[in-house]
Amino acid sequence: MRAATRAVVAVLATTATLSFVVQPVQAHPQAKSLRSVAPRDLRIGTAVAGGGHHVDQPYPDPFTYDKPYRKVLAKEFNSASPENQMKWEFIHPERNKYNFGPADAIVRFARDNGQVVRGHTLLWHSQNPAWLNEGTFTDAELRSILKKHIFTVVGRYKGKIQQWDVANEIFNENGEYRPENIWISRLGPGIVADAFRWAHQADPRAQLFLNDYGVEWPGVKVDAYEALAEQLLAQRVPLHGFASQAHLSMRYGAPDQLAGVLQRFDDLGLKTAITELDVRMDLPEGGVPTAEQLQTQASYYKTVLDACLAVDNCNSFTIWGFTDKYSWVPVFFPAEGAATVMRDDFGKKPAYYALRDTLARARR
Ligand code: XIL
């Protein structure tokens, strides 16, 4: 018991109301948040809203300007993933110009609030700047552009990033490399190994991940990742983890085989993570989910958390935003929405309580 509490207890003991009063006197500011009840070896994260689709919305940059948002962000989570602020188009908008300010601000906020940061992302087909997509570079130039970017960005945050999504969404649903990935299509799949090697040289302590969606059920896409992981590990490439984004829709059923998928990568000696969980639904007219929909959504969230908890080295569980106010879902999936664990006003949905109860039970 801390000294201040002891003093209060001493006074109150004489009034015989001790057991009733002691608790509230020292109520911890983190009491009952997701992070405070979670098992100590599991990070609870969220995407940090800004950039990307937010730029076209009728509100100012959420992370920078929404004070209540920042409060919930600090209170509930001990891991933070820049939603867009470390992507190529955002952080490297011109060939010789970097825009580090917003990413720096997130890293600072995370440090001040006892949060780790997941870096996202280094080698991806999407959200690349026009100068890169439309440039006329030789293969050798392209390779050196990627190498320089990785050394610059990973190097800048050296020691401050817990996990990097080095390669994002490199496979199609059929398990083949995505033809629209400029790096792989121009330089060949060997560039993936190089990206991991460069990231490792730039920050030897960061855990380096493969990250994708559509890997929540077994299938050819998961097979492709397993084969790639085995190959990279056999080549002594510094690959440390495999992550399921877990962008789910209630149209397709609960991810009830996810633990089995994660276990296959755990068996290879890799860490696993859930990196972008949200659960979208078809909204009824009026846009307000029914009580039944919210229960189903809660059960999906719980299924994903249970899967992570069931696997030894699944130590990072991140949801892709915590309030519907800023979710990317309605912008990208017409007619679907309400995908996060809180309403626009940060009111908690059943999914929030499902996560918190499950975390609290797992900690005990
Ligand atoms: C999304 C962001 O949430 C949006 O703000 C942006 O406009 C588009 O990208 N997989 C990923 C994430 O790896 O980076 C994507 O984030 C969602 C799908």
Side-chain angles (χ1 to χ4, degrees), residues 113-132:
N113 290 288
Q115 300 169 326
V116 295
V117 179
R118 294 197 81 263
H120 179 78
T121 178
L122 301 170
L123 185 152
W124 194 23
H125 65 276
S126 183
Q127 291 185 270
N128 287 326
W131 68 264
L132 176 66

Side-chain angles (χ1 to χ4, degrees), residues 10 13 45 59-60 74 86 100 107 112 114 182 201 213 216 262 265 275 277 282 285 299 314 319 337 352:
Y59 49 69
M86 288 186 179
F100 289 122
V107 170
D112 293 348
I182 183 174
Q201 284 168 32
Y213 66 86
E216 290 72 33
L262 297 178
F265 293 88
T275 50
L277 173 60
D282 285 279
E285 219 165 300
S299 77
C314 184
I319 58 180
Y352 173 89

Side-chain angles (χ1 to χ4, degrees), residues 47 49-56 82-84 87 89 120-121 124 126-127 165 168-169 211-213 245 247 275-276 278 320 326-329 331-333:
H53 78 279
H54 302 285
V55 171
D56 305 317
E83 185 174 358
N84 295 289
K87 291 174 181 173
E89 69 171 7
H120 179 78
T121 178
W124 194 23
S126 183
Q127 291 185 270
D165 293 327
N168 197 34
E169 302 176 350
N211 188 51
D212 210 331
Y213 66 86
Q245 294 179 2
H247 289 293
T275 50
E276 306 183 15
D278 52 18
W320 206 237
Y326 297 134
S327 170
W328 74 306
V329 165
V331 179
F332 281 82
F333 303 91

Side-chain angles (χ1 to χ4, degrees), residues 309-351:
L309 289 169
V311 175
D312 272 354
N313 286 315
C314 184
N315 300 324
S316 176
F317 177 87
T318 291
I319 58 180
W320 206 237
F322 54 86
T323 168
D324 290 341
K325 185 177 182 184
Y326 297 134
S327 170
W328 74 306
V329 165
V331 179
F332 281 82
F333 303 91
E336 290 183 277
T340 77
V341 301
M342 292 184 195
R343 285 180 265 275
D344 287 15
D345 63 358
F346 309 111
K348 296 171 175 121
K349 300 195 216 169

